[in-house]
Amino acid sequence: METESYTNGGGVAKEIGIANKQTIRWNDFVLRFLAFVLTLVAAIVLGVSKQNELVPVQLVPTLPPINVPASAKWSHMSAFVYFVIVNAIACAYAVISLVLSLANRGKAKGLSLTIILFDLIMMALLYSSVGAAAAVGLIGYKGNTHVRWNKVCDVFGKFCGQVAAAIAISLVGSILFLLLVLFAMLNLHKNRRH
Amino acid sequence: MASEPEKVVPPVETPEAEPEKAAPPPSMTRPTDYFAVADVVLRLLVFASALVSVVVMSTSKETEMLPYPRPAKFTQSPALIYFVAALSVAGFFSLITTLGSLYSLIKPGCCAKIISHFIVIDVLLLGIVASATGAAGSVTYIGLKGNTYVGWREICTLYGKFCRYLGASIGVSLFASVMLVLLVLLSVYSLSKKIPK
C-alpha cells in the first residue's frame, strides 16, 4: 500500500491510500508452471513410445507359426494422436498464459477473464483426452470379447506401460488446470464488492 | 384609507381525478436480473441434455443374427458404462443446482452464499462430462472406423442403429459440456462485474 499525506489550508493532515493492485498470485504461477511441465512430459512419453515385436502368426495349421514383425506406435491409434495433440496445445497454452499473467498482474480485467475462459476450455479438452486414451488403453489391456477386439498388452507390454504412465501424468496435469480455474474463481470471490 | 381587501385566492387545487394510489410495494419495482434468468436456463439445458444422453444410450440395444442372435448393448463396454454413470451424476447434480437457482430467482437474496458455491459444482461437472464424452467418443470412433493395426474390426456396418444411438448420445453430451462452459463463464462474468475498479 502506498500512502501520501498532505495538509490542506486548514492544517488538517489527510492521508490518501492508493491500493496496490499489482499482485503476483504465486499459487497461480506455480500451478501454471507445474501444468506446463506435466503436460509436456505426458506428450513426450506417449510421443516417443514405440515397440517392435515378432508376433508368431499361424497361417496354415500344418506349418509352424511364422514370426511376423509387428510394431506398436502411438500414431496407429487416433485416440493417442488426439491425446498427444491436446497435451501439446495445453503445454503451449500454459507457457503463453504464464507470460501473460505475469505481465498483466491484475491490470486489465478483460485479459484476466479471457485467461480464465481459456483455462476452462483447456481443462475440458485435457479431461476429454485423458478419458479417450484411458478408454482405448483399457480395451487394449483387457480386450473386448463381445466385439472380438483382442487385447494387445500381452504382446506389447512396454508400450502399454508407457501409455499408462502418460495417461497418469496427464491426469495430474488436468487436475492442476482445474485447480487453476478454482483458484481464479476464489480470487474473484474474495475481491468482489459486498 | 381603504385597505384593499385581501384577495384570498384559494390555492389552485389540481383536481385529483383519481384517488391517490397507494405507493407500489417496494418488492415489485425490481429490474429483471438477466444473469439469474440465464443461469436457470443454462442449468436446465444441462440437466435436460444429460437426461437425454443417459436415456438414449440406455435404450440403444440392437440384436443381429450372425448366425445366432448377438446383441449389442452399452453394458458390453466399460467406457460406455462410465459414460452412463458420469452423465447420471451430472444430471443429478445439475438438477439440484437448477432447483437452487430457481429458488434464488423467485426469492432473491435468500441464499446467495450457497449459490456462489454452485460454480465449484459446475467446474467439477465439466471435468466429469468432458472425460465421459472423450471416452465414449473414442470407443465409438473405433467401432466406426476399425483399427487395422491391432486387428479391431469395425462394427457399425453391422449394428447401424446401435452406432447411431451412440453418436446421438455423445453429440448431446458434447452440447451439455458446452453449456457448462457457458455457465461457468456467466458466473465468472457476473462475479467480475462486482469487483470495484
Side-chain angles (χ1 to χ4, degrees), chain B residues 4-116:
Chain B
E4 272 191 20
E6 273 189 23
K7 275 199 220 165
V8 178
V9 176
V12 175
E13 284 193 8
T14 53
E16 303 250 0
E18 58 267 34
E20 241 186 63
K21 287 199 189 124
S27 62
M28 305 289 263
T29 53
R30 211 176 43 251
T32 330
D33 192 0
Y34 288 115
F35 281 132
V37 171
D39 198 43
V40 173
V41 166
L42 281 176
R43 285 186 201 282
L44 204 59
L45 280 176
V46 169
F47 167 64
S49 39
L51 191 66
V52 164
S53 278
V54 167
V55 164
V56 166
M57 178 142 316
S58 313
T59 57
S60 69
K61 183 179 164 177
E62 192 179 357
T63 312
E64 291 283 335
M65 295 290 191
L66 312 159
Y68 53 94
R70 288 180 64 100
K73 296 185 285 203
F74 79 94
T75 50
Q76 293 167 351
S77 169
L80 298 181
I81 296 178
Y82 170 66
F83 179 83
V84 169
L87 276 247
S88 316
V89 165
F92 173 66
F93 275 105
S94 69
L95 180 67
I96 292 181
T97 54
T98 306
L99 292 176
S101 284
L102 201 61
Y103 188 63
S104 162
L105 184 67
I106 293 175
K107 279 198 224 258
C110 80
C111 18
K113 198 163 184 298
I114 300 179
I115 303 291
S116 64

Side-chain angles (χ1 to χ4, degrees), chain A residues 21 75-79 109 113 116-117 120-121 123-124 127-128 131-132 135-136 138-140 144-152 178 181-182 185 188-189 191-193, chain B residues 68 70 76-79 116 119-120 123-124 126-127 130-131 134-135 138-139 141-143 147 149-153 155 181 184-185 188-189 191-197:
Chain A
K21 277 198 189 159
S75 52
H76 290 168
M77 196 76 67
S78 49
K109 229 168 62 166
L113 285 190
I116 293 180
L117 167 69
L120 204 64
I121 296 179
M123 180 199 100
Y127 268 109
S128 79
V136 167
L138 196 64
I139 298 181
N144 195 325
T145 50
H146 296 105
V147 277
R148 305 255 179 85
W149 288 347
N150 302 320
K151 58 172 138 179
V152 284
L178 182 113
V181 173
L182 286 181
M185 221 70 76
L188 280 178
H189 200 73
N191 289 345
R192 81 189 194 290
R193 205 181 23 234
Chain B
Y68 53 94
R70 288 180 64 100
Q76 293 167 351
S77 169
S116 64
I119 193 171
V120 176
V123 173
L124 292 176
L126 175 64
S131 74
S138 70
V139 170
Y141 186 73
I142 294 181
N147 195 320
Y149 294 104
V150 278
W152 293 344
R153 59 185 183 91
I155 60 163
V181 167
V184 176
L185 201 61
V188 164
Y189 186 62
L191 266 181
S192 78
K193 279 181 77 147
K194 294 190 197 159
I195 290 181
K197 291 231 188 307

